Amino acid sequence: MTLPTRKLGCQGLEVSAIGLGCMGMSQSYGPADEAESIATLHRAIELGCTFLDTAEVYGPFANEELLGRALGPKRAQVTLATKFGFQIKDGKITGTDSHPTNIRAVVHASLERLRTDHIDLLYQHRVDRNVPIEDVAGTVAELVHEGKVRYFGLSEAGVSNIRKAHAVHPVTAVQSEYSLWERNLEQDVIPVLRELGIGLVPFSPLGRGFLTGAVKRAEEYPADDFRRNDPRYQGSNYDANVIAAKVVRNIADAKHVKPGQIALAWLLHKGPSIVPIPGTKRRSYLEENVAAAAISLNVVDMKSLDDALAPNKVSGPRYVATMMSLVDR
């Protein structure tokens, strides 16, 4: 199949209905496999999954470099999204830095690593509490005017900063964690995105793999796997979440599809300007994810999923405290 496209917000950006999160090709989910990652990127283009998501901090730097090497002449066939906003020293994150001079330096470096002359969608990776969001939006607006960036996005931003940024330069998309597993945006952020005509790009749409059903307890993952320290994979949280996620498997079985495909279909049914970016470094999982766009869920299916994985049914915080402190809520 070839993926259909969706308009991401109302600023004119049209992307594949499902994107590809590339972070795991370089970090967080076990050892890297460059050959398979590049093959996955090329297969994504063949399937029309052309909305590719990376960031300077993934690796750090290695993920942008990987995409630069992999795309080559195929660059024109994809929509490239990357992010700025972390302070990186000696290969480690040491804080946030969205000062205008740093934004410009980071964008220049990202363009070089990606081997391109423009970034299609540039996100502030996390809100920097030391820099007014108006200054951030103004700097990105200058980069748009210069042709180095096409569209402006925010990641994990709260309502106040979304409104302030959008007033300076239109925000095309907000990227945040949103899935059956994590519903934190529904009360305040999503209504504001709809009001302002801003698209939503959910990352971790499969609950970092939990919603696929192919999961293990935290301690069974290797030390370099993010899930080893994920509170929702630990102890009694894990037991409760397996029970809560059972409905996803039941609906998948009834439709003869995979649980992860149901989780992605649920997101696609939540609104026409929602574009999930499931991450994978393997062609087989990519093909499963892309096929989710063809799955139809009826009203009963949606209610069953909504109810079974309501916020009070998912056990454990989404992040450890240090990571949660970077979320602007």
Side-chain angles (χ1 to χ4, degrees), residues 227-294:
R227 290 165 289 191
R228 189 176 180 88
N229 298 306
D230 189 321
R232 293 185 179 177
Y233 274 76
Q234 296 173 346
S236 59
N237 289 342
Y238 175 89
D239 297 328
N241 291 333
V242 167
I243 294 169
K246 186 178 179 181
V247 68
V248 184
R249 185 171 66 252
N250 292 344
I251 292 175
D253 289 346
K255 295 181 181 292
H256 307 291
V257 299
K258 302 284 188 179
Q261 292 175 317
I262 293 298
L264 290 173
W266 177 86
L267 276 169
L268 293 173
H269 282 67
K270 280 291 179 177
S273 198
I274 294 177
V275 179
I277 49 168
T280 186
K281 53 187 174 183
R282 297 184 177 90
R283 283 168 285 182
S284 58
Y285 293 145
L286 167 75
E287 290 165 0
E288 281 184 15
N289 293 340
V290 166

Side-chain angles (χ1 to χ4, degrees), residues 53-58 61 64 80-88 93 95-111 113-114 119 121-129 131-144 148-149 151-157 165 169 171 173 175 326:
D53 184 85
T54 184
E56 63 154 355
V57 77
Y58 298 161
F61 313 127
E64 288 184 331
L80 267 180
T82 192
K83 311 176 197 73
F84 68 86
F86 281 114
Q87 186 180 71
I88 304 169
I93 298 172
T96 55
D97 188 350
S98 284
H99 290 90
T101 53
N102 191 58
I103 294 173
R104 285 190 164 277
V106 165
V107 167
H108 177 75
S110 289
L111 289 169
R113 287 190 291 268
L114 291 166
I119 294 162
L121 177 57
L122 180 67
Y123 296 100
Q124 182 190 38
H125 208 152
R126 292 292 185 272
V127 169
D128 187 336
R129 293 176 173 86
V131 180
I133 196 70
E134 294 88 347
D135 292 354
V136 174
T139 303
V140 176
E142 292 170 0
L143 291 166
V144 170
K148 296 174 183 174
V149 172
Y151 297 97
F152 173 38
L154 299 172
S155 181
E156 290 289 16
H169 184 80
V171 176
Q175 180 180 136
L326 294 170

Side-chain angles (χ1 to χ4, degrees), residues 64-83:
E64 288 184 331
E65 291 169 347
L66 172 67
L67 265 65
R69 289 193 299 274
L71 292 176
K74 298 179 187 290
R75 164 64 181 99
Q77 300 176 49
V78 305
T79 302
L80 267 180
T82 192
K83 311 176 197 73

Side-chain angles (χ1 to χ4, degrees), residues 3-328:
L3 269 174
T5 60
R6 289 187 161 200
K7 290 183 178 178
L8 196 55
C10 62
Q11 304 304 320
L13 181 58
E14 191 166 339
V15 300
S16 55
I18 294 174
L20 174 58
C22 300
M23 181 187 77
M25 296 178 179
S26 303
Q27 67 168 69
S28 299
Y29 292 95
D33 182 341
E34 179 161 322
E36 179 61 18
S37 292
I38 290 174
T40 300
L41 288 162
H42 292 170
R43 181 62 174 147
I45 294 170
E46 291 173 358
L47 295 171
C49 180
T50 55
F51 182 35
L52 307 182
D53 184 85
T54 184
E56 63 154 355
V57 77
Y58 298 161
F61 313 127
N63 200 243
E64 288 184 331
E65 291 169 347
L66 172 67
L67 265 65
R69 289 193 299 274
L71 292 176
K74 298 179 187 290
R75 164 64 181 99
Q77 300 176 49
V78 305
T79 302
L80 267 180
T82 192
K83 311 176 197 73
F84 68 86
F86 281 114
Q87 186 180 71
I88 304 169
K89 290 185 178 178
D90 300 323
K92 295 182 179 180
I93 298 172
T94 58
T96 55
D97 188 350
S98 284
H99 290 90
T101 53
N102 191 58
I103 294 173
R104 285 190 164 277
V106 165
V107 167
H108 177 75
S110 289
L111 289 169
E112 288 195 346
R113 287 190 291 268
L114 291 166
R115 303 184 187 183
T116 185
D117 63 355
H118 71 281
I119 294 162
D120 295 303
L121 177 57
L122 180 67
Y123 296 100
Q124 182 190 38
H125 208 152
R126 292 292 185 272
V127 169
D128 187 336
R129 293 176 173 86
N130 297 315
V131 180
I133 196 70
E134 294 88 347
D135 292 354
V136 174
T139 303
V140 176
E142 292 170 0
L143 291 166
V144 170
H145 180 73
E146 293 163 16
K148 296 174 183 174
V149 172
R150 291 181 63 215
Y151 297 97
F152 173 38
L154 299 172
S155 181
E156 290 289 16
V159 167
S160 176
N161 279 313
I162 292 170
R163 288 190 181 279
K164 290 176 184 177
H166 191 71
V168 175
H169 184 80
V171 176
T172 292
V174 168
Q175 180 180 136
S176 290
E177 184 172 4
Y178 180 56
S179 67
L180 276 166
W181 175 258
E182 181 52 62
R183 310 273 290 277
N184 72 91
L185 305 180
E186 291 182 344
Q187 285 196 321
D188 53 1
V189 173
I190 288 178
V192 169
L193 299 186
R194 289 176 177 156
E195 173 195 336
L196 300 177
I198 298 171
L200 174 62
V201 178
F203 70 80
S204 296
L206 302 176
R208 304 186 191 96
F210 207 103
L211 297 173
T212 68
V215 293
K216 301 175 288 188
R217 292 182 178 276
E219 59 270 22
E220 297 179 51
Y221 288 98
D224 61 351
D225 193 302
F226 180 90
R227 290 165 289 191
R228 189 176 180 88
N229 298 306
D230 189 321
R232 293 185 179 177
Y233 274 76
Q234 296 173 346
S236 59
N237 289 342
Y238 175 89
D239 297 328
N241 291 333
V242 167
I243 294 169
K246 186 178 179 181
V247 68
V248 184
R249 185 171 66 252
N250 292 344
I251 292 175
D253 289 346
K255 295 181 181 292
H256 307 291
V257 299
K258 302 284 188 179
Q261 292 175 317
I262 293 298
L264 290 173
W266 177 86
L267 276 169
L268 293 173
H269 282 67
K270 280 291 179 177
S273 198
I274 294 177
V275 179
I277 49 168
T280 186
K281 53 187 174 183
R282 297 184 177 90
R283 283 168 285 182
S284 58
Y285 293 145
L286 167 75
E287 290 165 0
E288 281 184 15
N289 293 340
V290 166
I295 295 172
S296 179
L297 299 176
N298 60 35
V299 173
V300 174
D301 295 330
M302 292 295 287
K303 187 175 189 310
S304 296
L305 292 164
D306 282 342
D307 292 348
L309 283 151
N312 63 339
K313 302 286 182 65
V314 177
S315 183
R318 57 180 285 211
Y319 284 140
V320 296
T322 52
M323 290 187 65
M324 199 63 211
S325 67
L326 294 170
V327 176
D328 180 40

